[in-house]
Amino acid sequence: MNAVALASIGLFIFILGYRFYSKFLAEKIFKLDPNYVTPAHRFEDGVDFVPTNKWVLWGHHFTSVAGAAPILGPAIAVYWGWLPAFLWVVLGTVFAAGFHDFGTLVLSVRNKGQSVGTLAHRLIGQRGKILFLFIILILVLMVNAVFAWVIANLFISFPAAVLPVMIQIPLAVWIGFSVYKKQGKMLIPSLIALVIMYATAVIASNVEWMQIDLVRYMGGEEGAGIFGLGAVSTAFFIWILFLMIYVYIASTLPVWQLLQPRDFINSHQLVVGLLILYLGLFFTVPEVTAPMTNATTDVSWLPLLFITIACGAISGFHGLVSSGTSSKQLYKETDARFVGYAGAVGEGVLALVSIMAVITFFPSADAFRESYSSFAAASGGGLGNFVQGAAQLAEGLFIPASIATTIVSIIVISFAATTLDTSVRLMRYIIAELGQEYNLPVLTKTHVATTIAVASSAALVLIPEGPNGFGSGGYLLWPLFGTSNQLLAGISLLLLTIWLKWLGRNYWVALIPMIFLVFMTMFAMAQQVFFQWAMWGSNPNGLLFVFGAIIFGFTLWILLTAVSALRKGIDPNYSFEEE
Amino acid sequence: MSLLDKMKALVAFYEEVLSMPHRSEIARELRDQDDMFLFMLYSEMLGIPNPAYYYTLELYPYMMEQFHDWHLRMGMDKSPMTGFRCC
């Protein structure tokens, strides 16, 4: 099958979803009112509440939600063949992610721009708030561990990308200072930074001494590392240690110094990446070589497919962006359809091209099966396959393969690094909030909270043993990341269900995706926890068992809360003054 | 609209998307400085002697609205000053 045709079908379904389903949601379910005074106008303060043009808001929303996760998930999930991954990304985006992002945005707009966490308190009560805090704590912990592994893995596999990524840090700090202190514009400096990064990438791809390759320094894969570890193990250890020190510093700096300017550069990279991939796809018109479905013996697609692809099909993280910032800046309530729904579609478009890059990369179906020989091989090597597949598409635009590989890995690493930075920051806030909740003032101190966040993340990423030893098993945590992300989406969908029921509207549009997600999460966790990771299971692993069991418990908790909340009538404390 | 104008509009749009989160961060920083200023202005209420108090009192009518937002941000639902009420 032709990949362009397949991608076009996917894009066409996205358009239909936006044209019809989101219209149905806007008119019949949410009953958006163009005259409703949005929080941006009502509480306008020039800081958080600022009425913003819908295109600008969409651009910001999209760049906030798109990252490395919608690339990595699909690159692993094609293990079961391209069809299951394709269908889940396309249908998930249209019916689950689109509704979820759009819905959380409207819910927040109709409740004074409050965030999902506060709304959990209002709609469910104190238990809802604590449940939410713990789910998000698990999620950010998983994000920290998985993305630290992603970056370390790419640093080891593509050493030419190391230097350009490192150069991004001082460049970002320079932009931060020049814009902040001298009130300069940021477009030109951030474009200059991008050019410098890519120029370094071009040079580093061709000059060996500019490639920081720890494994080579230690005498290749067979070489001896430190503490009796192998060379690859040592390289993982050093990179993860380095990343943790970096992220400690980065997440305690003010956001305008490093995080934001790096985001400006990353926005350019997102545009560049999407352009390269889609133009490459349409110029080279590659054939899909991966099999449509792949019979597997070790891990079944049901339910693991729905856990492996979280971002790109539905992701709870989007609800945090929708209700955290976007809802406070919505100009007109009717804009929510475009910002929320089309924002989710944007991420679906990225996930779709990630599938295309991987399934057109291999010369034959046999080569695909050789690379994706087991679920562990798929998880460990998926991202590397994406990078090389994307580079192959870029060759259609006359970019040499070695340079394209470096640039694509820089793009993925940059996304992962920003996610890591944000998520450590978020974890610090949550630890501080839990400290307040449970009267432990010591946890509210910045450095105490950051130390706990960084140390626990480092421990988590280093413990699982992969095929290359110490630290290389970070990908084993990917299903746990997927489930915790789905759980967060589950709780947002639960809030939407309760809210729509209270309003007397049709709440099945929220309830069905919620039940689907909760069911798949419980199914996956039960299967993994009790039959694989437990002591009596086929693949005993204490760490994964504990985390899996915790997530299983939380899912059960959400389910019980959902049942009790739906049976109960409207909470007398809830005010409908906003309606 | 000529092609050049369209390109300019596109660049302006792109720049606005980029600078959106930054703008709010700068505004937040400025607001924090303002809060500090007001805090010093009303320090007497917190028991910190302020020699300029009598003079700053004259500014009060001009700052009514700002003062209201400030005491809300500082966690006081009602105006902390007896005799001077804004809400």
Side-chain angles (χ1 to χ4, degrees):
Chain A
M1 180 154 183
N2 185 320
V4 172
L6 191 61
S8 306
I9 293 172
L11 295 176
F12 183 64
I13 298 175
F14 286 152
I15 293 172
L16 290 183
Y18 179 75
R19 179 80 185 73
F20 297 104
Y21 191 55
S22 78
K23 186 165 189 263
F24 162 74
L25 293 174
E27 288 174 1
K28 297 282 184 299
I29 303 293
F30 297 123
K31 300 190 177 159
L32 300 184
D33 173 9
N35 298 318
Y36 180 78
V37 183
T38 58
H41 291 287
R42 193 168 161 201
F43 305 109
E44 183 170 358
D45 64 357
V47 180
D48 295 310
F49 295 90
V50 184
T52 307
N53 169 294
K54 71 172 176 179
W55 290 90
V56 174
L57 193 58
W58 175 83
H60 173 249
H61 186 85
F62 172 53
T63 47
S64 305
V65 298
I71 295 174
L72 180 52
I76 298 172
V78 291
Y79 172 56
W80 296 287
W82 58 259
L83 187 66
F86 174 80
L87 287 178
W88 173 228
V89 163
V90 170
L91 298 178
T93 298
V94 169
F95 292 106
F99 171 75
H100 170 269
D101 296 16
F102 182 14
T104 42
L105 186 56
V106 177
L107 177 66
S108 175
V109 165
R110 286 274 167 167
N111 285 280
K112 302 180 185 166
Q114 286 168 328
S115 68
V116 183
T118 318
L119 288 169
H121 193 188
R122 277 190 81 188
L123 294 170
I124 303 177
Q126 182 66 6
R127 265 185 318 163
K129 186 184 165 193
I130 300 289
L131 173 67
F132 175 80
L133 277 181
F134 275 109
I135 287 179
I136 203 169
L137 183 68
I138 288 232
L139 173 65
V140 288
L141 184 63
M142 293 300 155
V143 169
N144 296 345
V146 168
F147 284 86
W149 171 80
V150 163
I151 299 173
N153 185 29
L154 288 174
F155 273 170
I156 293 171
S157 312
F158 304 101
V162 178
L163 199 61
V165 168
M166 304 258 182
I167 280 183
Q168 194 186 15
I169 300 168
L171 286 173
V173 173
W174 164 67
I175 297 174
F177 272 95
S178 74
V179 174
Y180 184 75
K181 296 285 179 202
K182 296 181 190 150
Q183 311 292 319
K185 289 260 181 185
M186 60 191 72
L187 184 64
I188 305 295
S190 56
L191 280 175
I192 294 173
L194 188 74
V195 171
I196 296 177
M197 271 173 71
Y198 285 177
T200 320
V202 171
I203 302 168
S205 305
N206 296 306
V207 182
E208 205 182 0
W209 64 265
M210 284 178 75
Q211 303 175 1
I212 301 177
D213 189 350
L214 296 185
V215 177
R216 182 164 52 90
Y217 298 158
M218 286 180 284
E221 283 191 20
E222 303 304 314
I226 47 172
F227 308 132
L229 297 167
V232 182
S233 281
T234 312
F236 263 110
F237 180 69
I238 294 174
W239 281 133
I240 286 167
L241 204 65
F242 169 83
L243 284 168
M244 288 300 153
I245 295 171
Y246 157 75
V247 89
Y248 187 102
I249 300 169
S251 68
T252 45
L253 289 177
V255 283
W256 61 265
Q257 275 181 14
L258 178 61
L259 184 66
Q260 277 185 350
R262 223 188 27 211
D263 271 347
F264 310 149
I265 308 177
N266 287 350
S267 308
H268 302 319
Q269 298 213 67
L270 183 64
V271 177
V272 169
L274 278 174
L275 275 181
I276 288 183
L277 289 170
Y278 272 100
L279 287 180
L281 187 71
F282 283 94
F283 275 125
T284 50
V285 198
E287 279 297 309
V288 173
T289 50
M292 188 158 83
T293 53
N294 192 17
T296 56
T297 50
D298 57 344
V299 181
S300 160
W301 66 273
L302 187 82
L304 229 64
L305 167 71
F306 303 101
I307 305 308
T308 310
I309 305 182
C311 298
I314 177 165
S315 145
F317 173 69
H318 295 197
L320 299 184
V321 179
S322 275
S323 68
T325 48
S326 302
S327 66
K328 298 181 177 68
Q329 306 182 321
L330 207 64
Y331 194 89
K332 264 195 319 198
E333 195 181 57
T334 39
D335 292 349
R337 177 182 166 202
F338 180 69
V339 175
Y341 199 95
V345 166
E347 188 166 75
V349 167
L350 183 61
L352 190 65
V353 84
S354 170
I355 297 180
M356 296 305 143
V358 178
I359 62 177
T360 55
F361 167 58
F362 296 95
S364 68
D366 287 335
F368 173 86
R369 288 200 182 90
E370 203 174 302
S371 178
Y372 283 80
S373 57
S374 65
F375 186 62
S379 308
L383 198 54
N385 293 334
F386 166 77
V387 171
Q388 288 173 332
Q392 190 168 298
L393 293 180
E395 274 185 272
L397 302 173
F398 307 104
I399 304 173
S402 63
I403 294 171
T405 315
T406 310
I407 290 181
V408 174
S409 39
I410 293 172
I411 293 178
V412 180
I413 295 171
S414 309
F415 288 171
T418 314
T419 311
L420 188 66
D421 184 341
T422 315
S423 129
V424 170
R425 200 178 281 271
L426 215 58
M427 191 166 171
R428 184 181 98 206
Y429 296 153
I430 298 160
I431 292 173
E433 199 164 340
L434 285 171
Q436 265 177 354
E437 198 71 43
Y438 291 106
N439 248 335
L440 293 166
V442 65
L443 292 183
T444 55
K445 302 250 186 293
T446 303
H447 289 282
V448 175
T450 313
T451 307
I452 296 175
V454 169
S456 54
S457 313
L460 190 60
V461 61
L462 287 174
I463 290 170
E465 281 259 339
N468 287 318
F470 197 53
S472 63
Y475 66 82
L476 290 172
L477 300 167
W478 184 256
L480 291 177
F481 161 72
T483 37
S484 41
N485 205 348
Q486 305 291 45
L487 273 190
L488 188 59
I491 194 165
S492 303
L493 288 172
L494 170 61
L495 296 176
L496 280 164
T497 312
I498 297 174
W499 185 62
L500 288 174
K501 181 170 180 262
W502 286 4
L503 291 179
R505 311 255 172 88
N506 176 358
Y507 56 86
W508 288 95
V509 284
L511 192 62
I512 293 172
M514 187 205 113
I515 291 176
F516 181 80
L517 277 189
V518 169
F519 174 74
M520 286 304 164
T521 308
M522 284 186 79
F523 187 2
M525 280 300 106
Q527 196 187 44
Q528 302 272 309
V529 169
F530 300 117
F531 296 103
Q532 289 217 11
W533 299 332
M535 274 184 301
W536 56 85
S538 57
N539 197 3
N541 188 323
L543 181 85
L544 299 181
F545 176 77
V546 170
F547 275 104
I550 292 175
I551 291 178
F552 186 78
F554 277 132
T555 325
L556 216 59
W557 189 356
I558 290 193
L559 203 65
L560 293 176
T561 317
V563 172
S564 86
L566 284 175
R567 283 177 57 182
K568 224 168 47 182
I570 297 170
D571 188 323
N573 296 324
Y574 183 80
S575 100
F576 278 91
E577 53 157 351
E578 296 297 306
E579 304 309 334
Chain B
M1 209 185 209
S2 74
L3 191 66
L4 187 70
D5 287 342
K6 278 184 186 157
M7 289 301 286
K8 274 186 185 161
L10 188 69
V11 170
F13 160 72
Y14 188 61
E15 176 140 21
E16 208 180 333
V17 171
L18 277 183
S19 54
M20 209 181 98
H22 193 74
R23 185 194 58 204
S24 68
E25 214 40 56
I26 301 280
R28 196 188 312 281
E29 194 106 358
L30 281 174
R31 191 179 69 182
D32 285 352
Q33 285 178 9
D34 255 16
D35 282 352
M36 189 64 198
F37 171 69
L38 283 168
F39 172 72
M40 285 157 74
L41 223 54
Y42 294 107
S43 61
E44 200 107 297
M45 292 179 320
L46 303 168
I48 307 164
N50 180 359
Y53 189 71
Y54 286 103
Y55 305 100
T56 55
L57 208 59
E58 289 175 16
L59 296 173
Y60 192 68
Y62 300 99
M63 300 173 65
M64 195 73 115
E65 239 177 80
Q66 241 183 314
F67 174 75
H68 174 67
D69 291 340
W70 174 77
H71 76 68
L72 287 181
R73 279 203 298 280
M74 294 298 116
M76 296 174 269
D77 285 340
K78 294 278 173 220
S79 162
M81 293 179 78
T82 40
F84 290 93
R85 298 211 169 272
C86 55
C87 50

